[in-house]
Amino acid sequence: MSNLALASTLVFVAITAFLSIWKKLGLEKDILIGTVRSALQLLFIGYVLHFIFDTRNPVFIVLILLSMIGVASWNAGSRAKEIRGIRLRIAITLACTEGLTMALLLGFSIIEPTPQYIIPVSGIVIGSSMIVAGIYLSQMKRELESSRGEVETLLALGATARQAIQGSVKRSVRSSMIPTIDGMKTVGLVQLPGMMTGMIVAGADPIEAVRYQMLIMFVLASSAALTAILLSQISYRLWFTKDVRLVPSPPQETKRA
C-alpha cells in the first residue's frame, strides 16, 4: 500500500467524525485521539517487531509478551477497578492461558518457534482473552447487583462464599464465552476474519488462509474457556469482604439506584 493510499483511508475517519457532529454524539475528540493513538501505536509496534524479527532474541519475545499481558490486564481490570487485586488475577489468568496455549502450539509443532509466528498468535490469544475477562467482570457486576439479596440470604443461611456466588459465576462465565462461540458459528458465512483476509490480500492461497484461520478459531475457543473459568476460580473471593460479605456497590452506582 502506497503512502498516498494509506493517507486516503483518513476519509473513513472524517466520515465517522462528521456523523458524530451531525448527530451531536460528542465523540469527535475521542475519534481524533483514537485515530492519532492507533496510528502512532501501530507504527511503534511495527518498528519494534521489525527489530525483534531481525534479532530473534528470546528475551525480547518474552518482554513483548509480558507487555501485552500487562496492558491487557490493566484494560480489562478497568471493568471492575473497585475490586482490589482484580488486575493481578487477570494478569495471572492471561499468563496461564497464553503459556498453556503456546506450549501446546509449539509442543505439537502446529506453529514454528519463531517470532513471526509466536508474537502475532500470542497477540490474538491475549487480546481475545482480555475481551473475555472484561465481559466476565462486567457481567459479574450486573449479576451481583441484581442478585445481591439472594447471595446475602444464602450467606445468612450458612453457605460458603463459593456456594453463595456459584450461580452468578456460572452465568457470567457463560456470558463471557458466548461471543466467541457465536463467532465460530458464523465465521466464513457472515464474516471473513482478519488473519484470513490479510493472508488472502497478501497473495496467499485461500485454502491455506482458511487452514490458519481454523487454527485461530479453535485456539480462541479454548482460550476463552480457560480465561473465563480460571479467572472465575481465582477471583470469586475478591467480591467478598474479609468477614464474608459482598463488597459494597460503588458510590456512583448506589446514587443511580
Side-chain angles (χ1 to χ4, degrees), residues 170-186:
K170 183 177 179 179
R171 290 188 291 272
S172 298
V173 167
R174 179 182 174 85
S175 295
S176 67
M177 291 178 60
I178 286 176
T180 303
I181 296 173
D182 284 348
M184 294 180 67
K185 294 177 181 178
T186 60

Side-chain angles (χ1 to χ4, degrees), residues 52-185:
I52 293 175
F53 290 172
D54 285 343
T55 60
R56 294 176 175 265
N57 191 322
V59 174
F60 292 124
I61 298 176
V62 172
L63 287 177
I64 197 168
L65 295 184
L66 290 177
S67 299
M68 289 180 179
I69 292 173
V71 173
S73 302
W74 185 266
N75 184 63
S78 63
R79 299 295 185 95
K81 56 186 176 183
E82 68 277 7
I83 304 298
R84 297 183 61 182
I86 193 64
R87 286 190 169 105
L88 175 59
R89 269 43 171 213
I90 296 172
I92 293 173
T93 299
L94 297 185
C96 291
T97 300
E98 160 64 11
L100 178 58
T101 301
M102 198 51 56
L104 291 173
L105 289 173
L106 296 175
F108 285 106
S109 299
I110 299 174
I111 64 172
E112 297 179 18
T114 61
Q116 286 87 340
Y117 284 92
I118 294 175
I119 294 176
V121 173
S122 295
I124 294 173
V125 171
I126 295 170
S128 176
S129 298
M130 174 191 70
I131 294 173
V132 170
I135 295 174
Y136 170 78
L137 294 176
S138 296
Q139 185 62 30
M140 273 296 291
K141 290 177 67 175
R142 287 192 292 268
E143 282 284 339
L144 294 181
E145 194 60 36
S146 61
S147 60
R148 178 173 291 269
E150 175 187 344
V151 174
E152 290 177 343
T153 299
L154 289 172
L155 290 172
L157 292 174
T160 63
R162 180 187 291 272
Q163 291 170 336
I165 205 174
Q166 184 176 13
S168 297
V169 167
K170 183 177 179 179
R171 290 188 291 272
S172 298
V173 167
R174 179 182 174 85
S175 295
S176 67
M177 291 178 60
I178 286 176
T180 303
I181 296 173
D182 284 348
M184 294 180 67
K185 294 177 181 178

Side-chain angles (χ1 to χ4, degrees), residues 210-222:
V210 167
R211 290 163 63 91
Y212 274 100
Q213 191 58 56
M214 289 172 62
L215 161 66
I216 295 301
M217 293 304 299
F218 298 157
V219 166
L220 292 185
S222 173

